[in-house]
Amino acid sequence: MNEQIARDVVLVRAIELADQKKEVLSEDDRMYASRSARELAHWQASDKQADVTSDDFLQQRSELILKRLAERTPAFAGFARRATGLRALAWLLPVLALALGAALDRITDPHRVDLLSAPLLLIIAWNLLVYLGLLVSLFIPARGQGGQASGLIRRLSVGKLAVPRKVPPVLATGLLGFMGEWSQLSARLTKARLGRTIHLSAAMFALGAVLSLYGRGLLSQYAAGWESTFLDATQVHGLLSLLFAPAVAVFHLQGFSLAEIEALRFPQTTAPAGGARWVHLYAATIFLLVVLPRLALALIAHWRAARLTRRFPIDLDQPYFRKLNETIGAATGGMLRVLPFSFTVDEARHRGLGQIAVMLFGEQGRMMLRPSTSYGEEPREVLRDVDLSDPNVTMTAVLFNLTATPEKENHGAFLDYLVKASPRGIAVLLDESAYLERMGPDDQRGLAERTALWQHFCHFHQTTATVVNLLNPSIHPLDAGVGLKLSAAA
């Protein structure tokens, strides 16, 4: 699916996840959207003489739900049409850079071509330093997509970081969740677009500087020369020979001798033809070392952005999508892998985990229970034989007992290791059954306090705790796969 479809799908998922009590989207709304989308997807598939795809179904369903929400809440309609901050920046920054580059001669002597021009040398040196940094970055391991996006990337990905007024609280919560999730999912695309804009702006700034040289030369007579307190003619000749070597070789421009460099030391001046010669040398050098490489980098970034725009990466193996795909007969089941921590799972609770897998993945859902990890054990050693990127496992979930008190050096270390090592993120199951057996069902205040403690603890470790009851899973139904959140991938 493309970027716009993916954005709509993620937005609908965030709203449904927040609307657990179905306050803004009733059960009838969801069933109607699924049924209508299924019919439209089948109609499109028959028209194309192709099989029904989950992409078509999810696109139709998200469009129907967003339309319904926009009709009910006009403020939401404005949010759904909100543009990102990159659209204006993509054309404004290059134009501004070109204008600044063209005005460069205003901060230097407009009647003189300085062989050691600080602005022109700085343009070349800065860009060469950028190329070196990009080259070094190729050998640095890339961070996973789940790393926290910077404030700039978040702003450019989702636009204004604010929820519109006059929307229901539940809908506002969903929109906040969407903005956080979308900024992470679209970080690669946003960075590619931002890189394209930056490279294009750098090329335009350098091009503007070159145009300013030629433009001023049409109306003024340049004098060429140099002056330095610390460099002599030999050093300047060596520096300029190295700097202008690519331009001389590619464009077959006239070279220069040490005697010529010595003769150009200010206050001596040259004829107009001599000034033009150095303008050509600087212009050709900036074109070869700045304009062309930056345009090439901009094209590469544009290609990356276009590819991500056409095929936006969304993990359709997540429970939410698998449950929806059941409605079009495209579900393939899923595997829930459970990693208990200091938790002995008896037969009754084992059956409860199996029921949770069915809630998440449908009737074909399966559950794999790993041996429990004990206090003090090193996570890397305990999980050394666990392939956290196993394609046969749809979701990995850590299982904690609500009666336990969370400890940073034990539970926290276990979560931290899994969050960093799991490429698709992890879920956290918090079983309340043992607590209710011990304290009784009337201790709702204590249950709420204990749950809040665990949820805060898991949030601190970049995960989200989902309360379940393994003796009676129906108490906390994970309807349509929206009741279980994954941590951001490492």
Side-chain angles (χ1 to χ4, degrees):
M1 62 181 68
N2 62 35
E3 177 195 6
Q4 183 58 51
I5 296 173
R7 184 183 185 276
D8 291 345
V9 169
V10 173
L11 177 56
V12 169
R13 181 177 63 176
I15 294 172
E16 288 193 271
L17 190 150
D19 189 23
Q20 292 284 313
K21 297 181 180 180
K22 300 179 175 56
E23 298 176 31
V24 296
L25 282 173
S26 66
E27 184 65 30
D28 289 340
D29 292 334
R30 304 180 193 209
M31 291 180 61
Y32 169 79
S34 296
R35 182 172 62 253
S36 300
R38 181 175 64 249
E39 294 174 356
L40 288 171
H42 279 285
W43 178 79
Q44 288 183 341
S46 62
D47 188 53
K48 298 177 183 178
Q49 296 184 349
D51 294 332
V52 178
T53 65
S54 60
D55 286 9
D56 292 336
F57 169 70
L58 293 173
Q59 175 187 358
Q60 297 293 341
R61 185 177 185 274
S62 63
E63 289 178 356
L64 289 168
I65 289 179
L66 293 179
K67 182 179 179 180
R68 180 66 60 89
L69 289 173
E71 292 172 350
R72 294 174 177 172
T73 311
F76 173 79
F79 178 90
R81 295 191 301 267
R82 179 184 293 178
T84 65
L86 262 178
R87 292 187 178 181
L89 191 67
W91 64 266
L92 181 60
L93 195 59
V95 171
L96 181 62
L98 180 65
L100 291 175
L104 189 64
D105 63 345
R106 294 292 183 180
I107 62 174
T108 59
D109 189 344
H111 298 285
R112 166 177 159 181
V113 178
D114 193 345
L115 272 61
L116 297 178
S117 172
L120 298 180
L121 290 175
L122 185 59
I123 290 176
I124 296 172
W126 169 253
N127 283 275
L128 292 178
L129 185 62
V130 169
Y131 305 152
L132 178 62
L134 293 175
L135 182 62
V136 171
S137 67
L138 295 177
F139 301 95
I140 299 177
R143 292 182 59 188
Q145 297 181 35
Q148 292 296 316
S150 67
L152 175 62
I153 296 299
R154 289 198 300 270
R155 181 64 181 266
L156 294 177
S157 297
V158 300
K160 185 179 179 181
L161 298 177
V163 174
R165 298 179 180 181
K166 298 181 180 179
V167 297
V170 172
L171 185 56
T173 301
L175 297 184
L176 287 173
F178 161 76
M179 288 190 286
E181 183 177 11
W182 184 251
S183 66
Q184 297 293 332
L185 291 174
S186 62
R188 284 176 56 199
L189 176 57
T190 302
K191 289 177 182 177
R193 287 172 171 166
L194 182 60
R196 176 184 60 193
T197 300
I198 291 175
H199 290 310
L200 183 59
S201 300
M204 292 299 101
F205 181 80
L207 185 60
V210 171
L211 292 176
S212 72
L213 287 175
Y214 283 107
R216 181 64 60 175
L218 291 174
L219 304 175
S220 304
Q221 177 178 317
Y222 279 130
W226 66 278
E227 56 186 348
S228 174
T229 301
F230 302 106
L231 301 178
D232 57 28
T234 302
Q235 293 171 320
V236 172
H237 177 265
L239 174 63
L240 295 180
S241 297
L242 178 63
L243 178 64
F244 295 141
V248 171
V250 173
F251 296 104
H252 305 292
L253 298 177
Q254 182 183 354
F256 46 88
S257 65
L258 176 59
E260 289 177 299
I261 296 297
E262 180 66 44
L264 291 175
R265 188 162 191 167
F266 280 113
Q268 295 95 333
T269 60
T270 63
R277 173 187 179 186
W278 297 101
V279 169
H280 296 326
L281 283 171
Y282 259 114
T285 299
I286 290 177
F287 181 76
L288 287 176
L289 299 184
V290 180
V291 177
L292 279 183
R294 285 289 195 167
L295 288 178
L297 290 171
L299 286 174
I300 293 173
H302 176 75
W303 173 78
R304 290 175 177 170
R307 184 184 61 176
L308 290 172
T309 300
R310 292 190 304 268
R311 299 179 61 85
F312 193 90
I314 286 188
D315 185 8
L316 296 181
D317 281 336
Q318 294 185 21
Y320 173 85
F321 299 115
R322 285 178 172 266
K323 289 289 289 185
L324 289 177
N325 286 338
E326 282 188 342
T327 63
I328 60 171
T332 58
M335 172 70 75
L336 173 66
R337 175 170 53 193
V338 180
L339 306 177
F341 185 89
S342 186
F343 195 127
T344 301
V345 180
D346 56 25
E347 184 177 351
R349 291 178 172 85
H350 189 282
R351 288 195 299 269
L353 288 171
Q355 294 178 43
I356 289 176
V358 172
M359 287 183 184
L360 293 172
F361 307 121
E363 293 300 326
Q364 301 180 54
R366 294 165 294 155
M367 190 273 298
M368 175 199 304
L369 181 64
R370 298 285 305 178
S372 178
T373 300
S374 302
Y375 278 94
E377 291 189 282
E378 180 65 30
R380 185 181 301 274
E381 292 298 322
V382 174
L383 303 174
R384 63 180 180 274
D385 61 335
V386 177
D387 182 6
L388 294 174
S389 59
D390 187 350
N392 296 318
V393 175
T394 309
M395 174 183 291
T396 297
V398 179
L399 177 61
F400 291 127
N401 195 328
L402 185 65
T403 58
T405 300
E407 299 175 358
K408 180 179 179 181
E409 60 275 13
N410 290 301
H411 306 86
F414 193 66
L415 287 177
D416 289 342
Y417 172 77
L418 287 170
V419 168
K420 293 178 181 178
S422 301
R424 297 177 62 184
I426 63 167
V428 176
L429 298 176
L430 192 58
D431 179 37
E432 67 177 12
S433 60
Y435 182 90
L436 292 176
E437 283 185 331
R438 177 183 300 180
M439 306 302 296
D442 296 332
D443 186 23
Q444 294 300 312
R445 180 177 179 179
L447 177 64
E449 292 177 352
R450 174 67 63 161
T451 301
L453 172 66
W454 268 101
Q455 289 176 336
H456 179 75
F457 178 82
C458 290
H459 178 73
F460 179 79
H461 291 278
Q462 285 76 54
T463 59
T464 301
T466 301
V467 177
V468 296
N469 189 312
L470 296 185
L471 295 181
N472 188 3
S474 61
I475 295 178
H476 301 286
L478 305 180
D479 183 43
V482 300
L484 190 58
K485 293 187 65 175
L486 290 174
S487 69

